[in-house]
Amino acid sequence: MKNFAPTIVLLLLAFLNGNAQQEKGIIGFNSWLNNWTEFKPNKTEYNEPNQILTGTIAVDLKLSKKNVYLLLGNIYDTNKAKLTIEPGTVIIGDAESKAALIITKGASIIAEGTETDPIVFTSNKAGDWGGILLLGDAPTNKFGNTSSVNFDLDVAFASYGGTNPNSNSGILRYVRIEYAGAKVKGLGNFDALFLGGVGNQTVIDNVMISYSGGDSFEVCGGEVNLNRLVSYKSSTNDFKFNYGAQVNIKNSLVIRASYLLSNSGSRCLYARSYDKKEEVKNKKKLTSV
């Protein structure tokens, strides 16, 4: 019996050491930040755009690494079209038109970069362009399950939410979104990445947002799994959740700068279940993160 207790203790310590939180990997021993992240985007130079993306996408479209694309104005992916982006593709958001990419309900984006060849959405300075909006048909806790995005978008393409928690808006993997979050007069700032009513079959994995003028990640309703996300020096909130969002976050990182602040408040994590109680239906899910 004298040897029994020490043996148990040693086994327990070995188990805890193998699964404990680590300095770089957060969970595990490998750094998931290697190769695909960029903490000095202003030092990175890209070629000038040679292709313009604007208007409405109504059929499947593929963006190629060999080109550099300029987003001009609000670009709507509609009509169940699939927008595919090759690894290593660079896409620049136009500042003057406050460009934004909106993946509407039923449409999808397949932006699947690699660890050594990420997809990059960028511009020149914080709040330069709008950002990326994924609008799905998973439930929210609002009346009728639906809501709409209010960033001066075409109302025909701005709605999100529905009844399908398993809906699929596509893949964002090994993607960097830099200098998004443009200000819209009278309406506040875009989010660098807005997920509205996004379902649990959508993949959001290894996404880095840098120098957003608005929130980095905002999730309104839906049911999403978020893995290996980085919010770097956002001016406003790093993670914002509302309207009954059901969210699991794993292995994610926030780095804030004390001199970057917003008049509306700047928080690492902001979660609520509604803005006004009369907007939501009783007995529907509250936000859970």
Side-chain angles (χ1 to χ4, degrees), residues 27 82 89 100 121 126 128 157 166 193 220 229 238 240 271 282:
I27 297 173
K82 179 169 68 175
T89 303
F121 292 83
D128 233 9
F157 301 126
N166 302 314
L193 178 60
C220 286
L229 306 187
D238 297 287
K240 185 175 181 180
N282 290 336

Side-chain angles (χ1 to χ4, degrees), residues 135-210:
L135 309 179
D137 59 356
T140 76
N141 64 10
K142 280 199 160 188
F143 281 101
N145 281 328
T146 60
S147 187
S148 60
V149 186
N150 191 18
F151 290 127
D152 199 27
L153 304 182
D154 186 330
V155 293
F157 301 126
S159 68
Y160 65 87
T163 58
N164 182 13
N166 302 314
S167 63
N168 189 345
S169 296
I171 300 172
L172 293 177
R173 177 180 281 136
Y174 290 114
V175 172
R176 295 205 306 265
I177 304 171
E178 301 167 348
Y179 303 121
K183 186 173 180 59
V184 182
K185 189 174 181 179
L187 297 173
N189 292 70
F190 275 97
D191 305 310
L193 178 60
F194 177 84
L195 306 175
V198 171
N200 59 37
Q201 296 303 299
T202 306
V203 176
I204 311 292
D205 193 2
N206 290 91
V207 176
M208 179 178 190
I209 292 174
S210 301

Side-chain angles (χ1 to χ4, degrees), residues 3 5-6 14 33 41 61 69 88 91 97 114 123 127 187 189 222 285 288:
N3 294 328
L33 298 171
L61 177 66
Y69 296 87
I91 302 161
S97 64
T114 67
S123 192
L187 297 173
N189 292 70
K285 290 182 178 179
S288 174

Side-chain angles (χ1 to χ4, degrees), residues 99-113:
L101 177 61
I102 302 99
I103 310 300
T104 65
K105 280 209 294 187
S108 62
I109 181 172
I110 307 297
E112 190 162 11

